[in-house]
Amino acid sequence: MASEPSSPADNDSCEGDDLEDVDSAGEEIESVGSGSARKRVSARTVLTGRGVTMAMLLSDGILEPGDACLSIDYLGQKFVGDLLPNGKIKWQGSNRVFNSPSAWAIHCKKMVNPSKKSGCGWASVKYKGKKLDIYKTIWFRKQRGANAPAEKTEGAKEPAKPKALSLSGSFRVKQDVKERPSVKHTSLGSRDPDHPQYTGYKDPNTLVEYSHFSALGKMQPFTMSITTNCLLLMDFHCHLTTSEVVGYLGGKWDPASQHLSILQAFPCRCRLGDKENAIMVEEEIRQGMMLRGLSLVGWYHSHPHCQADPSLRDVDCQMEYQVAMKGLGATYQPCVGFIVAPFHLTEPIVESTIQAFWVMPPPEHKPHEYGMPMSMNFTAIQDSYLTQDVVNEMKWVSDYYSGAPDFLFFKEPWHQDKTFLEKVKGSLAKKLPKDQVSGQLLDFVQSLLTTQQGQEKHTSR
């Protein structure tokens, strides 16, 4: 994401278009005054940070709503639109509101060229004379800066200078793990600056407490189970580095019983923000799920420096992912997120915190409210045996991070006389399949993590 997206004037295609709100009919339109239309986000964009909407740019101050600030020039014709406070686009002179730049661009272009079927709205639509993909690049850089840890006063709004997401050094300094206060959902107010409940700019890294269905007098919308092999690989992956990691979850949805079975984890062996490699990694994972007869049912990521409460950015990502995968009627399929916090904040607890969550969307009559992160109960199903897939993934993902400056030094002390290696093995021991209870896998983990560790310790510093 370091390079700016190319946007040639005569090229309507946009490789890896980050958001395509256009359905098979070619456009998605909402009449003024109608209910909030769904955003349709490419499933792969949510997990790698490449999914971005006009509302997100407005929320972060990159764009401002206004009349006649948007335009499209196509084959000698000019179209002008208003940017609404909710991020949608109103075409001037009509009663139509479009949910995305792509939807508006394709609608306008088809009026001039009826054979037109697709295009990149971010490269076609201009905001105050400059193409939207330029503003999208500015947003990405701002988010990278916000993601990078910095020694700042809690609550400071000024973003850090853009830099790589990778954290330097090891986790030896316990002060690196800091308790960041989580806020209640009820304190967030509205996103709309003109709304009476607007309480000011919200840092996307703000952590939000989970709400519970029972406290709202509701039932969890579906039941969930996850295999121990899946939990094992997630936990292993999230222990390897002081940087945030991410992965996909494959499984199956049973509409008859309303049960989601999460069967396998697929770690992403690429850095957050590495757009080029992310596309290849995600395609490899997609093929792997297809070969195993699994569907994409969720995602996970780590919080190496704080508790397992979701940030506002996590909440927005999860909400977009739910909308992207929801489907209609009989095709409905849920999506869940998991947050793994391998290092506890106040006590030397060996086992990682693994929290599942789902986001309750805001009411239709309050579309500018933040989604509510809901704690999801799940059942862990112990596998009978360790699969070769898990062994392979453990090898590959440890090789990927090995030697990097943010790779943990597992022989070094974690707490008192316990090393990081002992901490990892203790956490994984709670998730072993039945054929590994004697500890063979933990011996394998020790061998995997300590091979050439001494050499890396000296070369990484």
Side-chain angles (χ1 to χ4, degrees), residues 162-281:
K163 61 179 180 179
L165 285 177
S166 303
L167 310 178
S168 60
S170 88
F171 225 105
R172 291 177 296 118
V173 183
K174 283 192 64 179
Q175 286 77 8
D176 284 349
V177 185
K178 298 178 179 178
E179 185 168 9
R180 290 162 48 192
S182 298
V183 303
K184 294 185 179 296
H185 178 266
T186 52
S187 71
L188 294 175
S190 174
R191 299 176 189 262
D192 185 359
D194 297 325
H195 195 280
Q197 292 184 347
Y198 179 69
T199 56
Y201 168 82
K202 296 293 186 300
D203 185 338
N205 293 316
T206 299
L207 299 179
V208 186
E209 291 182 6
Y210 292 102
S211 297
H212 299 270
F213 287 102
S214 58
L216 301 178
K218 297 178 180 291
M219 293 183 62
Q220 187 168 302
F222 52 90
T223 57
M224 292 168 48
S225 62
I226 185 168
T227 64
T228 51
N229 277 342
C230 188
L231 291 170
L232 179 80
L233 184 53
M234 289 164 55
D235 198 18
F236 178 80
H237 184 198
C238 294
H239 268 99
L240 294 179
T241 168
T242 60
S243 297
E244 187 172 315
V245 302
V246 69
Y248 291 90
L249 299 172
K252 296 184 178 180
W253 166 245
D254 183 353
S257 63
Q258 295 288 288
H259 183 79
L260 186 68
S261 300
I262 304 171
L263 303 174
Q264 189 164 340
F266 294 81
C268 288
R269 295 190 299 278
C270 63
R271 298 285 185 173
L272 291 176
D274 186 356
K275 182 174 181 177
E276 216 172 296
N277 287 324
I279 293 173
M280 295 182 290
V281 169

Side-chain angles (χ1 to χ4, degrees), residues 42 70 113 143 151 174 299 301 362 364 369 403 406 453:
S42 169
L70 300 174
N113 177 13
Q143 300 314 302
E151 297 297 325
K174 283 192 64 179
W299 63 300
H301 71 288
E364 287 189 8
E369 285 191 356
D406 53 354
Q453 186 81 88

Side-chain angles (χ1 to χ4, degrees), residues 20 218 276-277 409 418 447 457:
E20 199 62 32
K218 297 178 180 291
E276 216 172 296
N277 287 324
F409 294 123
K418 284 187 179 292
S447 174
K457 176 176 177 180

Side-chain angles (χ1 to χ4, degrees), residues 77-141:
Q77 300 292 318
K78 184 169 184 176
F79 303 87
V80 178
D82 303 332
L83 178 55
L84 303 180
N86 61 3
K88 297 180 182 180
I89 300 168
K90 181 179 183 295
W91 182 23
Q92 283 201 346
S94 74
N95 198 38
R96 288 180 172 178
V97 173
F98 297 83
N99 294 328
S100 73
S102 297
W104 184 44
I106 290 178
H107 178 80
C108 293
K109 291 179 180 182
K110 287 180 72 173
M111 294 181 64
V112 180
N113 177 13
S115 64
K116 185 68 179 173
K117 294 182 179 179
S118 64
C120 175
W122 293 91
S124 302
V125 178
K126 294 180 181 179
Y127 173 79
K128 296 184 178 180
K130 294 182 180 180
K131 293 192 175 182
L132 280 177
D133 54 9
I134 295 175
Y135 295 95
K136 183 170 62 175
T137 299
I138 295 172
W139 184 88
F140 281 136
R141 289 174 175 168

